[in-house]
């Protein structure tokens, strides 16, 4: 029997850190596979992952639809999307969004579009940037942010 596939979570730059470490040989080897998100793919396509060729690593991916989500803690007062929109309509700065990436990332855009749907200016929203979605979800579980757009 083969041993299970070893996994390592390497946060940073929506996949940029993992890509750089594999491409430069600082991590892994010829049998290393790299899983990535659509955010990583977008940054790679835009040349934001540095001087390395995309073929410098072995990618694994799934073809399919990449749905967006707005998640809240199970104890959140916002039980439906409409509840969150109503709170944003009242005061967009009262909701702290936390996600991987920074201003302009796909997750930031999801939050900004939600604030806009509430009829408010996205510049008034609070957005906390994390190295990746795992860190942001940990912050949501700890109730350090109110919502996770992912």
């Amino acid at each position: 029997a083969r041993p299970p596939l070893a996994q390592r979570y390497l946060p940073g730059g929506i996949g940029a850190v993992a890509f750089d470490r594999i491409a430069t040989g600082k991590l892994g080897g010829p049998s290393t596979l790299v899983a990535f998100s659509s955010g990583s793919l977008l940054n790679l396509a835009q040349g934001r992952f540095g001087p390395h060729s995309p073929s410098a690593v072995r990618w694994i991916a799934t073809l399919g639809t990449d749905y967006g989500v707005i998640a809240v803690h199970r104890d959140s007062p916002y039980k439906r999307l409409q509840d969150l929109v109503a709170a944003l309509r009242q005061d967009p700065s009262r909701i702290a969004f936390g996600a991987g990436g920074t201003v302009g990332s796909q997750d930031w855009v999801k939050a900004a579009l939600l604030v806009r749907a509430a009829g408010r200016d996205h510049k008034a929203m609070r957005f906390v940037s994390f190295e990746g979605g795992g860190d942001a979800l940990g912050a949501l579980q700890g109730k350090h942010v109110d919502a996770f757009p992912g």
Side-chain angles (χ1 to χ4, degrees):
R2 291 183 160 182
L5 186 64
Q7 298 177 27
R8 182 168 179 187
Y9 174 61
L10 196 59
I14 312 171
V17 170
F19 178 73
D20 183 70
R21 293 220 178 126
I22 299 291
T24 59
K26 294 177 184 170
L27 183 68
S31 63
T32 301
L33 300 172
V34 179
F36 66 99
S37 68
S38 59
S40 298
L41 181 61
L42 177 63
N43 285 331
L44 184 65
Q46 293 176 338
R48 294 183 177 173
F49 275 6
H52 314 295
S53 164
S55 62
V57 303
R58 293 178 63 200
W59 299 94
I60 58 174
T62 302
L63 294 177
T65 303
D66 189 359
Y67 292 99
V69 64
I70 303 291
V72 296
H73 192 277
R74 77 178 69 152
D75 298 335
S76 171
Y78 315 112
K79 301 301 180 197
R80 302 172 309 138
L81 186 59
Q82 294 91 328
D83 300 335
L84 192 59
V85 169
L88 288 167
R89 191 171 289 127
Q90 263 186 350
D91 180 6
S93 68
R94 96 188 241 196
I95 307 296
F97 291 97
T102 186
V103 174
S105 70
Q106 290 181 343
D107 293 347
W108 179 90
V109 168
K110 290 172 192 147
L113 288 172
L114 187 60
V115 171
R116 184 187 296 172
R120 300 302 295 258
D121 185 353
H122 69 276
K123 293 176 186 173
M125 78 175 174
R126 290 173 43 214
F127 187 85
V128 182
S129 297
F130 291 91
E131 288 294 325
D135 294 336
L137 285 170
L140 182 65
Q141 287 176 326
K143 300 181 183 178
H144 303 293
V145 296
D146 301 302
F148 168 77

